[in-house]
């Protein structure tokens, strides 16, 4: 991940990535690449600057502004739906002059409590949140249906894919969670307001009743529910006789006020307060996530730009001696990768072997001898729409691997994506050149660790590629 960038910049860079993965690199991006290289920042920031400088960037930014407006209206619509749902739920719950507290509480607090419990279970069970949650699916469907109606920029499908990707980031999922909690907060607050108004302007008989439970068990349940409101000072804890006197059909007219306060306190304590805490929790993580938002530079579309936007820097002898490159994880291909690419590095056109030539799905990019060769190969790798299954770098064991070769192979592998095979030739003839084979091979295996590749003989590399193809 890179240093944090703004949400709009993230979306613009992702839109460009989706576009280039679908149709290849922009042909008229030379000036944008130059602008990005002049920034002197990390790869992520250069990718953002390149996206801003590409033709059509302003039209994409305008589309993102339209989608932001649509998202705001979507949230407003959810709020109105919550208010109407609350009014309907309250009217259905107390359509009679005699109100049973437990029935009203169950009908008003049942749905929001059930959804809150599901959310909490999801936090515990799914440490890595699913990319296919209900709210994510609904939001994606709304964007894809309504988005094209307001998008006028190039490749609106790439813009929508970028927005969907944002919702699937940790910050995006926390944002969707915040919207869900906000919906239920509006619902519960509206229900509390409607209840307060109705209990203020109309006379209701409130109490409790039961059919299956005994009166003793019903009183225990009510006492348990009253514990938190009493602890918070929302209802009186001095005299609890109103609980027993609240049995419907006994003397409800004597305890109307305490039971009305009890009903409002239950909605506040067991409905609003838990949702408010969940909303604050989700909103905080969404806010902090968006402030630490960075591009996933492991995406093939970004890896291919690394050689284009981050040219290798000259390395001094002191740097090579004291800044040994760190080991890298073994490179592996993703499910969408395809094809095999071969390239030879400084082996000489006459001495170069070509063990993979003529095999199915193999692309030969020739020999890299000069800086122009390197730029040519990196450009060809960057223009690919999909990452390669394997990049086979052909080298000779007669050469001593140095820091420059490590950086070059890492650049090539980053741009190609997929697995890396270093086909090492001339191993058997090292002694004839006055080279200790064990020491030289140790150097090459160290290079493999520092590039995330695997050392194979040309024959082994040929077998590997044949087995895949």
């Amino acid at each position: 991940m890179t240093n944090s960038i703004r949400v709009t910049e993230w979306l613009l860079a992702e839109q460009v990535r989706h576009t280039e993965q679908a149709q290849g690199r922009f042909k008229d991006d030379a000036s944008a690449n130059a602008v990005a290289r002049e920034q002197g920042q990390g790869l992520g920031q250069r990718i953002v600057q390149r996206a801003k400088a590409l033709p059509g960037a302003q039209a994409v930014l305008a589309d993102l502004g339209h989608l932001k407006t649509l998202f705001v209206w979507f949230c407003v619509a959810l709020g109105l739906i919550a208010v109407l749902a609350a009014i309907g739920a309250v009217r259905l719950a107390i359509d009679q002059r005699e109100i049973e507290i437990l029935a009203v509480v169950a009908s008003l607090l049942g749905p929001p409590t059930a959804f809150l419990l599901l959310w909490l279970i999801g936090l515990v069970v799914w440490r890595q949140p699913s990319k296919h949650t209900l709210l994510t699916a609904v939001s994606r469907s709304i964007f894809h249906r309504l988005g094209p109606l307001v998008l006028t920029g190039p490749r609106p499908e790439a813009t929508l894919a970028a927005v969907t990707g944002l919702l699937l980031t940790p910050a995006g999922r926390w944002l969707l969670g915040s919207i869900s909690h906000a919906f239920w907060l509006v619902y519960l607050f509206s229900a509390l307001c409607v209840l307060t108004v109705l209990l203020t302007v109309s006379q209701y008989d409130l109490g409790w009743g039961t059919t299956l439970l005994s009166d003793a068990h019903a009183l225990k349940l009510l006492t348990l529910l009253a514990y938190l409101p009493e602890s918070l000072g929302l209802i009186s804890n001095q005299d609890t006789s109103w609980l027993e006197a609240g049995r419907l059909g006994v003397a409800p007219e004597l305890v109307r006020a305490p039971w009305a306060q009890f009903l409002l306190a239950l909605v506040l304590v067991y409905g609003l307060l838990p949702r408010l805490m969940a909303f604050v929790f989700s909103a905080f993580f969404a806010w902090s996530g968006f402030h630490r938002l960075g591009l996933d530079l492991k995406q093939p579309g970004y890896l291919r730009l690394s050689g284009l936007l981050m040219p290798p820097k000259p390395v001094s002898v002191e740097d090579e001696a004291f800044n040994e490159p760190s080991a890298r994880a073994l490179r592996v291909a993703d499910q969408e990768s395809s094809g095999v690419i071969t390239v030879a590095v400084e082996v000489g056109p006459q001495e170069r072997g070509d063990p993979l030539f003529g095999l199915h799905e193999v692309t030969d990019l020739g020999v890299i001898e000069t800086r122009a060769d390197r730029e040519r190969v990196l450009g060809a790798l960057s223009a690919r729409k999909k990452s390669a299954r394997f990049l086979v770098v052909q080298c000779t064991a007669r050469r001593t691997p140095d820091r420059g070769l490590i950086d070059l192979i890492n650049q090539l592998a980053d741009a190609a994506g997929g697995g890396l095979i270093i086909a090492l030739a001339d191993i058997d003839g090292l002694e004839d050149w006055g080279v200790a084979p064990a020491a030289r091979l140790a150097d090459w295996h160290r290079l493999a660790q520092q590039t995330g590749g695997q050392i194979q003989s040309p024959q082994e590399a040929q077998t590997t590629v044949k087995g895949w193809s």
Side-chain angles (χ1 to χ4, degrees):
M1 304 296 284
T2 68
N3 294 331
S4 59
I5 59 178
R6 292 186 299 175
V7 174
T8 304
E9 296 175 337
W10 190 95
L11 288 171
L12 180 59
E14 283 289 290
Q15 198 273 353
V16 172
R17 179 176 70 85
H18 285 291
T19 298
E20 292 188 325
Q21 284 185 345
Q23 67 182 28
R25 225 183 76 198
F26 286 97
K27 296 181 179 179
D28 51 351
D29 65 345
S31 60
N33 297 336
V35 170
R37 285 193 292 265
E38 290 174 357
Q39 298 302 312
Q41 299 173 337
L43 177 59
Q45 292 293 339
R46 294 191 182 198
I47 289 174
V48 169
Q49 296 301 324
R50 174 181 181 268
K52 288 181 178 180
L54 285 172
Q58 294 304 315
V60 175
L61 291 174
D63 280 350
L64 293 175
H66 293 323
L67 286 177
K68 181 180 179 180
T69 302
L70 179 64
F71 186 73
V72 171
W73 281 111
F74 169 68
C75 294
V76 172
L78 279 181
L80 293 176
I81 293 173
V83 172
L84 295 175
I87 295 174
V90 171
R91 294 305 299 167
L92 289 174
I94 59 173
D95 59 345
Q96 303 294 330
R97 289 294 177 177
E98 190 175 73
I99 300 176
E100 294 192 28
I101 291 290
L102 293 178
V104 174
V105 170
S107 61
L108 288 181
L109 300 186
T113 302
F115 279 101
L116 181 61
L117 290 176
L118 288 176
W119 179 75
L120 291 173
I121 292 173
L123 286 182
V124 175
V125 175
W126 294 289
R127 298 288 180 165
Q128 296 294 331
S130 173
K131 295 185 177 181
H132 305 288
T133 62
L134 177 61
L135 191 55
T136 301
V138 171
S139 302
R140 182 188 306 177
S141 176
I142 291 175
F143 275 129
H144 278 269
R145 288 179 181 274
L146 299 182
L149 300 178
V150 296
L151 300 185
T152 58
R155 295 194 67 88
E157 65 277 10
T159 304
L160 292 172
V163 173
T164 302
L166 179 67
L167 296 179
L168 296 179
T169 62
R173 292 192 291 263
W174 283 116
L175 174 63
L176 293 178
S178 302
I179 295 173
S180 174
H181 297 314
F183 172 86
W184 291 112
L185 273 177
V186 174
Y187 169 86
L188 292 167
F189 182 75
S190 301
L192 184 64
C193 291
V194 173
L195 278 175
T196 302
V197 172
L198 291 178
L199 294 176
T200 301
V201 302
S202 301
Q203 178 177 302
Y204 292 91
D205 291 334
L206 298 94
W208 57 276
T210 180
T211 301
L212 294 178
L213 294 177
S214 65
D215 288 356
H217 285 91
L219 281 173
K220 286 182 180 179
L221 177 59
L222 289 168
T223 303
L224 181 63
L225 290 175
Y227 175 75
L228 280 180
E230 287 178 353
S231 302
L232 297 174
L234 298 176
I235 60 176
S236 173
N237 58 2
Q238 299 297 324
D239 182 11
T240 59
S241 60
W242 59 274
L243 281 174
E244 298 181 7
R247 184 68 159 91
L248 289 176
V250 179
E253 67 279 357
L254 301 178
V255 289
R256 288 193 184 103
W259 278 97
Q261 295 176 7
F262 184 40
L263 175 59
L264 298 177
L266 289 179
V267 175
L268 176 63
V269 172
Y270 296 106
L272 269 172
L273 289 182
R275 277 291 174 180
L276 180 60
M277 290 188 292
F279 172 78
V280 172
F281 183 81
S282 297
F284 170 77
F285 280 99
W287 175 84
S288 61
F290 283 126
H291 278 74
R292 294 183 289 106
L293 191 63
L295 299 174
D296 183 3
L297 298 180
K298 295 180 181 179
Q299 293 286 347
Y302 293 145
L303 288 175
R304 294 172 192 145
L305 293 176
S306 61
L308 184 68
L309 303 181
M310 302 290 289
K313 299 179 181 179
V315 181
S316 65
V317 176
E318 291 78 7
D319 289 337
E320 289 195 21
F322 298 104
N323 295 322
E324 182 74 9
S326 58
R328 300 184 59 152
L330 185 67
R331 298 178 186 268
V332 295
D334 56 36
Q335 296 180 350
E336 298 181 355
S337 62
S338 64
V340 177
I341 299 173
T342 65
V343 62
V345 179
E346 298 185 18
V347 298
Q350 303 300 324
E351 300 179 7
R352 181 213 179 182
D354 195 2
L356 305 179
F357 184 78
L359 294 181
H360 180 59
E361 290 192 15
V362 173
T363 301
D364 180 25
L365 296 183
V367 182
I368 297 180
E369 292 282 354
T370 64
R371 182 181 181 86
D373 292 334
R374 181 178 61 199
E375 296 297 333
R376 171 183 56 80
V377 172
L378 288 174
L381 294 176
S382 299
R384 288 176 55 88
K385 296 180 180 180
K386 293 184 178 181
S387 60
R389 179 68 178 178
F390 289 109
L391 172 67
V392 181
V393 180
Q394 301 178 56
C395 301
T396 174
R398 297 173 182 174
R399 173 177 176 176
T400 302
D402 55 17
R403 178 64 179 271
L405 181 60
I406 295 172
D407 291 341
L408 174 58
I409 293 179
N410 273 324
Q411 275 192 312
L412 296 173
D414 288 344
L420 171 63
I421 296 176
I422 301 172
L424 192 60
D426 303 323
I427 298 177
D428 296 334
L430 288 178
E431 291 183 348
D432 297 336
W433 287 74
V435 176
R440 181 60 55 84
L441 290 178
D443 292 337
W444 278 100
H445 282 289
R446 189 180 304 111
L447 176 142
Q449 294 176 350
Q450 294 165 344
T451 57
Q454 46 186 323
I455 297 290
Q456 295 184 3
S457 67
Q459 294 74 21
E460 291 172 335
Q462 186 175 17
T463 302
T464 300
V465 174
K466 279 184 176 180
W468 170 77
S469 60

